[in-house]
Amino acid sequence: MLTRSITKKKSLNVFANAIDRFWLFVERMERDVRENSHRGRLPPCCMGDPWDEEFAQAYQLLAPHLKRYRRPRYIQVPADLAFFHGPLRAETAHQSLMFFLNPAGELYGEAGVLDSPEYIAIKETAMAELEQHQAARIKAKAKPKCSKDSKTLVELIELKAHLRDHHFPKGKPDCNIVLGLKELQEHFGWSQSKVTRRMQVLFKSPDAMDSYNAVFASPEPPKGYKKVLDDATLDVDALWFDRSSDEEDEDDEQCSIAR
């Protein structure tokens, strides 16, 4: 768990550093444009030259953290710019911001370009990407998570309760009609293999359904089993752990409770 915590912290630091680096370039390019706009437009032969590779690389470092926002899109730019002949095509708002400002020299002489509604929209959309990323991270962190064993324990408690209520309904005669795998699947929404694994743990047998049938299909189910299903060996206390867990792997799951 310590290794996972360190990895998450390192990943967060990498993201923060990538954000800082990218927006420092944005600030630098904007300052360049404002300070040199009086020089007038560059000649057409300068289009695309010089390309600022460091700014482009800053976006490449940030791009992996923006996967959820990546989709081809066309971004509107101000009209009548010397080096832009139509909308920008980009995968994220951050990339469109980098394309628009890189290189800064292509915006020399473009009066008020950084105060135009189009550029402001590009920048605000990029900021929105950051805000959405941060909100999603906070939401994921705030959501309580439990370990795989805790999830299994909860499921076993629910299975026990369902069998107890079925075979020993309150205020009614005991029921010796056993439930099938399919009925348990439909009730819990589990796969057949998952139902089998949970029953194996509950009945402490690899042939769990046979053991279940042998006990509960008889005309008079042993009263001792009612006590077993009513006991508190699977307690709901201390189910939650202050640690995250991966999604359950149906094929490889190993239930430590069974051990």
Side-chain angles (χ1 to χ4, degrees):
M1 294 308 301
L2 180 60
T3 302
R4 177 178 292 176
S5 176
I6 293 173
T7 301
K8 285 187 175 181
K9 185 175 181 180
K10 182 178 180 181
S11 177
L12 183 59
N13 289 338
V14 169
F15 171 68
N17 291 337
I19 285 292
D20 289 344
R21 179 174 173 79
F22 180 87
W23 284 91
L24 280 174
F25 272 103
V26 171
E27 181 182 356
R28 182 187 304 174
M29 294 298 177
E30 287 184 340
R31 184 169 60 251
D32 189 353
V33 172
R34 293 188 187 280
E35 291 178 353
N36 293 285
S37 59
H38 65 280
R39 296 171 58 180
R41 289 176 170 175
L42 298 176
C45 62
C46 295
M47 183 175 184
D49 183 31
W51 174 260
D52 193 308
E53 287 292 345
E54 287 188 330
F55 192 9
Q57 289 172 5
Y59 173 73
Q60 291 303 319
L61 291 174
L62 181 59
H65 303 281
L66 302 175
K67 288 182 179 180
R68 70 180 65 186
Y69 312 111
R70 290 169 68 174
R71 57 177 178 81
R73 68 192 74 182
Y74 286 92
I75 310 295
Q76 188 64 44
V77 298
D80 302 322
L81 298 181
F83 291 97
F84 292 92
H85 308 291
L88 281 173
R89 188 177 189 277
E91 63 179 15
T92 64
H94 276 77
Q95 189 181 51
S96 66
L97 189 59
M98 187 271 290
F99 282 162
F100 189 78
L101 294 172
N102 192 4
E106 291 186 352
L107 296 176
Y108 290 175
E110 305 290 1
V113 66
L114 298 184
D115 300 313
S116 66
E118 292 84 358
Y119 178 71
I120 292 174
I122 293 173
K123 194 170 181 179
E124 287 181 347
T125 306
M127 291 299 297
E129 285 180 347
L130 290 186
E131 292 173 1
Q132 291 170 21
H133 185 283
Q134 178 69 0
R137 190 182 70 82
I138 292 175
K139 183 178 179 181
K141 187 176 181 180
K143 183 179 180 180
K145 297 180 179 179
C146 65
S147 69
K148 187 181 295 185
D149 283 353
S150 298
K151 291 179 182 178
T152 300
L153 188 56
V154 170
E155 290 165 354
L156 287 169
I157 291 171
E158 293 174 345
L159 179 59
K160 282 182 61 176
H162 182 58
L163 293 178
R164 180 193 61 221
D165 292 344
H166 174 75
H167 290 289
F168 307 106
K170 189 174 182 180
K172 296 181 181 180
D174 294 347
C175 175
N176 65 337
I177 300 175
V178 295
L179 297 171
L181 275 175
K182 188 174 181 180
E183 290 174 295
L184 293 173
Q185 283 180 250
E186 292 176 352
H187 178 79
F188 291 105
W190 297 343
S191 66
Q192 180 178 328
S193 61
K194 185 170 184 175
V195 172
T196 300
R197 289 197 303 273
R198 297 297 175 264
M199 291 292 282
Q200 287 172 339
V201 175
L202 196 59
F203 285 87
K204 297 181 174 61
S205 170
D207 300 317
M209 295 305 294
D210 291 341
S211 299
Y212 165 59
N213 288 324
V215 172
F216 288 99
S218 61
E220 296 182 3
K223 297 300 180 182
Y225 236 93
K226 184 176 182 179
K227 182 179 179 181
V228 171
L229 292 178
D230 279 336
D231 71 14
T233 54
L234 296 181
D235 198 348
V236 294
D237 292 337
L239 289 181
W240 300 101
F241 294 83
D242 187 20
R243 59 191 176 101
S244 62
S245 65
D246 297 329
E247 290 299 321
E248 179 177 332
D249 187 329
E250 286 288 344
D251 296 326
D252 299 330
E253 176 191 352
Q254 297 294 327
C255 177
S256 66
I257 296 176
R259 299 193 294 270

